[in-house]
Amino acid sequence: MQTHNADAPGRCAPMARVIAFRSSQEVVPPVSQNPPTSMWGLAFERSVVLRATRIALIVGTVLALINHGNTVVMGAGNLETWIKIALTYAVPYCVSTYSSVSAVRDRERMLARQDD
């Protein structure tokens, strides 16, 4: 394992790295000391769930209005319509979750390679 100069631009201190998320800061051990993160573990992390929920609400609402707006406004919606609307929200939630998990795992792999 090679040592890195923590003062060099773009380099993290070997003992800990500070991640700033909006206004909060959290000290996280180096990636090489973290256990491998499972896909399901990442999918249920608070930040991933909040991001996916926000995206699902926005994208799902737009798609629901486009695809089912007339039916709902006319009061002609039945159980099948409401199931389809629920799925309209579920799809962007799942896509956003998968995208976030993939990005985090790719970043972990990249940082692990840099530490080697």
Side-chain angles (χ1 to χ4, degrees):
M1 182 173 156
Q2 52 184 333
T3 58
H4 300 288
N5 182 357
D7 296 328
R11 299 310 267 174
C12 297
M15 296 308 293
R17 59 189 162 95
V18 177
I19 297 176
F21 180 73
R22 295 191 184 178
S23 63
S24 65
Q25 290 189 345
E26 176 183 358
V27 177
V28 179
V31 175
S32 60
Q33 292 179 4
N34 289 339
T37 310
S38 73
M39 187 171 93
W40 290 108
L42 288 171
F44 290 106
E45 278 192 4
R46 185 176 177 357
S47 63
V48 173
V49 170
L50 290 175
R51 182 180 299 113
T53 300
R54 245 187 344 262
I55 290 171
L57 287 173
I58 295 167
V59 175
T61 299
V62 170
L63 292 175
L65 288 172
I66 291 169
N67 294 323
H68 308 288
N70 288 342
T71 305
V72 173
V73 169
M74 293 188 318
N78 56 18
L79 180 61
E80 181 181 348
T81 302
W82 293 108
I83 291 171
K84 287 179 180 179
I85 289 172
L87 290 173
T88 301
Y89 283 90
V91 169
Y93 181 89
C94 292
V95 170
S96 175
T97 300
Y98 179 79
S99 176
S100 293
V101 168
S102 295
V104 169
R105 293 181 89 190
D106 287 348
R107 187 166 194 280
E108 284 179 349
R109 283 188 214 112
M110 182 188 71
L111 290 173
R113 275 190 238 129
Q114 286 179 352
D115 287 343
D116 290 342

